[in-house]
Amino acid sequence: MTANDVADKTGTGASTGDADRAGALSTDLEVVDHLLNAMMAQVTGGVSPAAVASAWIDWGLHLASSPAKQVALTQQALSSVFNWNDYFLKAAMWWHPAPVARPEPGDHRFSARQWEFWPFNSFAQGFLLTQQWWDAATTGIPGLSRRHESQVKFMARQWLDRRAPSNFLPTNPEVLACTVAEAGENLVRGARNLIEDVQHQMRGQAPVGTEAWRVGRDIAVTPGRVVFRNHLIELIRYDPATAEVKAEPVLIVPAWIMKYYILDLSPENSLVRYLVAQGHTVFMVSWRNPTEEDRDLGMDDYRRHGVMAALDAMSSAMPERRINACGYCLGGTLLSIAAAAMARDGDGRLASVTLLAAQTDFTEAGELMVFIDDSQLAYMEHMMWVKGYLETGQMSGAFQLLRSNDLIWSRQVEQYLKGRREPASDLTAWNADQTRMPYRMHSEYLRRLFLENKLMGGRFMVDGKPVSLSDIRAPIFAVGTTRDHIAPWKSVYKINLPADAEVTFVLTSGGHNAGIVSEPGHRGRSYQVGTRQPEDRYVDPDAWAAATPRIDGSWWPEWSKWLSGKSSALPVAPPAGGPDLGPAPGSYVFQA
């Protein structure tokens, strides 16, 4: 009797076959699950209906069970109606009443003088009162989870911003004045702008005007050469432009959601060009734009084949030289993981670590957390599963929503109602040159860092063992920006909590990109800087900002001076050697 006969008689074979069929059925159903949710995502714009519904249901149930909050909101609503009616009547009689509501800091929609006249001042005041009421209605409700509170507040604000009187021709006095002065020519130009933009979007073309900025001709033009290439990165080397050079090279790891040349834009605002002019040898990671074939690349692949591969190539080209490593945004988060693993394993190649607008703690990761919870992430995974990557427009769209007044509605008013289109800048062209993210990596990044905050908790695994940021002993230079909606400066500042190393923190004016691309001579720039030794007591961010003096100018010279203090000088620049795989900016940067 054969083994199969025995299996048949005992029923084992039948059980195995049933299990196989059940497993195959389960896999088939998972595929259907992915496809159905991905199709639904096309309708909902990638927003999980379950996440939206659960947030509003949580809000509604807790509001319903809080009569005190209901009474307070009713009183505020009645007060707002009374105040607005009183304001409306007085303004109609040209009494110039005092405003009953004021816009939030940074909101300039109603700052023009035309908004001071009736009835437009009444429109603005009514909108601002409504906005204040919804802010009160979506916050401070007992029992409402913090995440759901931020979600309903964000959704209510988006709904209101879309309907602001500044967005419409009949209720925007600036647009009406422009239309009268130009006899409607502004609307004709605006219609042309709209048609142009729709055509470019439908054809998958970059925004109008960005064609004036070509990579390798106008931007990303600092002389250099590719010295290493693998499936994931090209490593570009830029030799110093001085006779006397710093012995320790600088490695820059940008985020993989951006093309590297944000740090090598035009010659006058290129951080790379600035560093080589200070005598530094700079190595830049240029990430490959992933395709469907890269769907299974994970966080550890980006660490091993990105950061570590670059360090190994540099060590091969410049043996026995320690390295000043710098990471920007997600590149900084990845660098901090790699640095912690190196410190744990006794790899002492890092002379210093610089983190530019990079978070290591994600408990207060800013408004981007509005888009990240278990429901939304599962929905996003369904979308990514179909193609194997996150589409370029999905992440950029989320970033735009964080600043919808500036990046969406105000821009549309300027371009389509006033008919004014500002010339594209180098930063605009870079922002339009977007990249994708592999399915596995993006899922791991959001789950392990944003949702579970494993890095700060000492639970992030590298090579089967957890890493701790407290193991890093190399000096740290961290930069936060005052108007960063992606990596809020107080979140970046939290590197002070686990660090057992010297930490120099810089708070600079500007946003996530413009604050970093802040070359010397840039008007209106300023920064604060302070250094904390390992034995110093912790100072909270608000107290630090209040006690630290502000310095006018760019933070770049401050960083260059700090790097020089961590470097030793060579009397003569060593001859440039090593592999030459082609000139900068390489080939990966051109991948669409």
Side-chain angles (χ1 to χ4, degrees), residues 197-217:
D197 289 346
V198 170
Q199 289 176 338
H200 275 245
Q201 188 173 15
M202 293 180 66
R203 295 169 183 166
Q205 296 175 332
V208 176
T210 57
E211 63 275 1
W213 300 93
R214 286 181 52 188
V215 175
R217 186 195 69 182

Side-chain angles (χ1 to χ4, degrees), residues 27-38 385:
T27 301
D28 291 341
L29 291 176
E30 287 179 2
V31 172
V32 173
D33 191 23
H34 284 308
L35 292 174
L36 287 177
N37 280 277
W385 180 88

Side-chain angles (χ1 to χ4, degrees), residues 30-260:
E30 287 179 2
V31 172
V32 173
D33 191 23
H34 284 308
L35 292 174
L36 287 177
N37 280 277
M39 291 171 60
M40 190 184 302
Q42 299 297 319
V43 178
T44 64
V47 177
S48 167
V52 173
S54 62
W56 283 107
I57 290 172
D58 190 18
W59 171 80
L61 290 175
H62 283 94
L63 180 60
S65 61
S66 179
K69 184 69 174 179
Q70 295 175 39
V71 171
L73 290 174
T74 302
Q75 291 175 336
Q76 182 176 344
L78 293 174
S79 176
S80 295
V81 170
F82 175 82
N83 290 336
W84 185 80
N85 283 331
D86 183 62
Y87 181 92
F88 181 88
L89 293 173
K90 290 179 179 178
M93 292 185 286
W94 297 91
W95 286 5
H96 300 290
V100 293
R102 295 190 180 277
E104 296 179 352
D107 184 354
H108 304 294
R109 286 174 290 185
F110 312 114
S111 59
R113 190 171 183 273
Q114 291 95 325
W115 288 98
E116 297 177 6
F117 301 102
W118 188 87
F120 307 107
N121 51 7
S122 299
F123 297 158
Q125 289 294 295
F127 174 80
L128 293 174
L129 285 170
T130 303
Q131 183 174 269
Q132 288 179 357
W133 187 89
W134 272 105
D135 280 347
T138 53
T139 56
I141 299 176
L144 179 64
S145 73
R146 185 177 178 182
R147 184 180 298 279
H148 284 162
E149 178 182 273
S150 64
Q151 289 175 336
V152 295
K153 180 180 179 180
F154 178 82
M155 287 185 280
R157 179 61 64 93
Q158 293 298 317
W159 184 86
L160 284 170
D161 286 345
R162 184 186 295 267
R163 289 156 180 81
S166 56
N167 296 337
F168 304 99
L169 172 64
T171 54
N172 188 323
E174 297 177 74
V175 176
L176 288 174
C178 181
T179 303
V180 171
E182 299 187 32
E185 183 63 28
N186 57 305
L187 299 179
V188 175
R189 293 196 309 271
R192 290 173 183 161
N193 291 342
L194 177 60
I195 292 171
E196 271 188 323
D197 289 346
V198 170
Q199 289 176 338
H200 275 245
Q201 188 173 15
M202 293 180 66
R203 295 169 183 166
Q205 296 175 332
V208 176
T210 57
E211 63 275 1
W213 300 93
R214 286 181 52 188
V215 175
R217 186 195 69 182
D218 309 289
I219 46 182
V221 295
T222 302
R225 68 186 192 280
V226 177
V227 295
F228 174 79
R229 181 185 293 120
N230 62 19
H231 179 72
L232 195 57
I233 69 166
E234 286 182 329
L235 185 65
I236 305 172
R237 173 173 173 164
Y238 303 90
D239 288 314
T242 56
E244 185 175 299
V245 305
K246 305 298 188 295
E248 289 76 13
V250 176
L251 169 65
I252 300 180
V253 183
W256 50 87
I257 64 170
M258 60 174 70
K259 296 292 179 73
Y260 83 87

Side-chain angles (χ1 to χ4, degrees), residues 413-435:
V413 168
E414 287 294 315
Q415 294 189 0
Y416 305 146
L417 295 183
K418 296 182 181 179
R420 302 170 184 167
R421 192 192 290 280
E422 293 185 4
S425 65
D426 51 3
L427 193 59
T428 305
W430 166 83
N431 195 53
D433 193 6
Q434 301 165 354
T435 57

